[in-house]
Amino acid sequence: MATAGEIAAVGVIGAGQMGSGIAQLAAAAGCAVLLLDADPAALSRAAASISASLRRLAAKGQLSKAACEASIKRIRCVSSVQELRDADLVIEAIVENEDVKKKLFVQLDETTKPSAILASNTSSISITRLASATKRPSQVIGMHFFNPPPVMKLIEIIRGADTSDQVFAAVKSFSERLGKTVICSQDYPGFIVNRILMPMINEAFWALYTGVATKEDIDTGMKLGTNHPMGPLQLADFIGLDVCLSVLRVLHNGLGDNKYSPCPLLVQYVDAGRLGRKRGVGVYSYRQKPSSVKPKSSL
């Protein structure tokens, strides 16, 4: 079983914003990183994004040029789970769907070396149930990063029913090696942050849905009235409305309280494909408006 200092090779599954950010952190911490995605275009975008992000840090003097280029070289893009067979730690950051994640954990359990730690970046799904899909439940743990991972200072670690003390200690130390502050949650729906955050976001949707106020006033009220850096509706767009809806459904199903029932407006937006910033439109529109061209004077 790897300790934090022995975690030298890290597999990251999912080359979206979360996965690429996690890969960047691990590479900057000196790990060899295997970034896995079945979509070659997603891998290309992730590699370009990571390189650009690290070079921006170097340009600002937050990272030496040599460390920047070394970090970039530590990341290898792969397309097969088989290529993760020698990883000490695998972190999945795929779609927030329990069945899909369980299938992946079955594959990882069959493919990775017996000592490998398997971690999920899930923001709400039971680690115990994901671990039950494997023959190594003591080596399965939750590592919930926040978006964007290179910037946000927190990692929420979730212990499943069988997660061992040794695995918890190794993952906690590794998270601190990434420069993060660690909080630990027991395996309850939504864990700590989303258990508190998502009902607030849902209530903001109810306020908009029932005509209490405009989206702008709801967000301004929470920013200036409670000193939040962004309002709940803007934050929902940033997280992804589909992710918010998925977490609320996990809370509703897992805790059985109607206060977690998703607002119909949130459901409608997700059905319409209005998923937030990543799609260019959610509660707000993020699409660039065409620049107006002044007609030439005829004089």
Side-chain angles (χ1 to χ4, degrees):
M1 186 75 57
T3 63
E6 293 167 346
I7 293 176
V10 176
V12 180
I13 306 177
Q17 189 170 14
M18 292 302 293
S20 60
I22 295 166
Q24 176 182 322
L25 283 168
C31 297
V33 178
L34 297 163
L35 180 57
L36 169 66
D37 201 292
D39 181 2
L43 287 172
S44 295
R45 286 193 299 270
S49 172
I50 293 167
S51 297
S53 177
L54 287 167
R55 285 173 179 144
R56 277 195 301 273
L57 292 175
K60 292 176 183 176
Q62 296 173 13
L63 190 68
S64 72
K65 187 175 180 182
C68 166
E69 296 306 318
S71 297
I72 292 169
K73 288 177 182 175
R74 288 190 197 104
I75 300 172
R76 183 160 68 90
C77 294
V78 299
S79 57
S80 167
V81 171
Q82 302 296 327
E83 296 184 77
L84 304 182
R85 58 188 174 273
D86 295 322
D88 301 309
L89 168 68
V90 178
I91 306 167
E92 68 81 11
I94 63 170
V95 63
E96 191 74 351
N97 179 291
E98 183 172 335
D99 290 338
V100 175
K101 287 183 186 291
K102 276 186 171 178
K103 287 176 185 175
L104 175 61
F105 271 82
V106 169
Q107 285 184 284
L108 290 173
D109 191 38
E110 293 171 348
T111 305
T112 56
K113 62 187 181 183
S115 61
I117 297 169
L118 307 181
S120 175
N121 180 53
T122 180
S123 55
S124 61
I125 296 169
S126 168
I127 299 302
T128 301
R129 290 202 300 270
L130 294 180
S132 72
T134 76
K135 295 182 178 68
R136 60 178 96 183
S138 66
Q139 292 162 235
V140 178
I141 195 165
M143 288 183 77
H144 181 206
F145 291 77
F146 292 80
N147 191 20
V151 175
M152 300 296 280
K153 299 183 184 301
L154 186 70
I155 292 180
E156 190 175 39
I157 294 180
I158 304 93
R159 298 184 69 153
D162 295 311
T163 305
S164 72
D165 290 343
Q166 186 179 355
V167 164
F168 170 74
V171 169
K172 182 176 184 291
S173 295
F174 178 72
S175 300
E176 290 166 347
R177 183 175 147 197
L178 300 182
K180 303 302 183 186
T181 296
V182 173
I183 60 173
C184 180
S185 172
Q186 297 304 312
D187 192 17
Y188 287 95
F191 315 136
I192 300 169
V193 175
N194 280 332
R195 175 80 174 263
I196 297 165
L197 173 64
M198 288 302 161
M200 182 184 73
I201 286 175
N202 199 38
E203 197 61 32
F205 271 95
W206 277 106
L208 182 61
Y209 182 57
T210 56
V212 171
T214 65
K215 57 182 180 287
E216 293 84 2
D217 281 355
I218 291 167
D219 276 350
T220 299
M222 293 305 292
K223 282 194 291 186
L224 302 185
T226 62
N227 204 28
H228 290 192
M230 67 175 72
L233 297 172
Q234 183 187 5
L235 178 58
D237 272 355
F238 193 80
I239 294 168
L241 301 193
D242 54 333
V243 175
C244 294
L245 179 59
S246 173
V247 174
L248 282 164
R249 284 175 169 160
V250 168
L251 287 168
H252 191 217
N253 292 335
L255 298 170
D257 192 322
N258 281 335
K259 72 181 180 182
Y260 301 112
S261 180
C263 174
L265 183 62
L266 172 60
V267 176
Q268 183 185 67
Y269 279 8
V270 173
D271 287 346
R274 297 178 59 156
L275 305 185
R277 287 180 64 94
K278 61 188 173 186
R279 286 286 180 88
V281 63
V283 179
Y284 297 91
S285 177
Y286 303 90
R287 291 170 181 155
Q288 287 188 337
K289 294 178 181 177
S291 55
S292 56
V293 180
K294 294 182 179 179
K296 291 181 180 179
S297 173
S298 57
L299 297 177

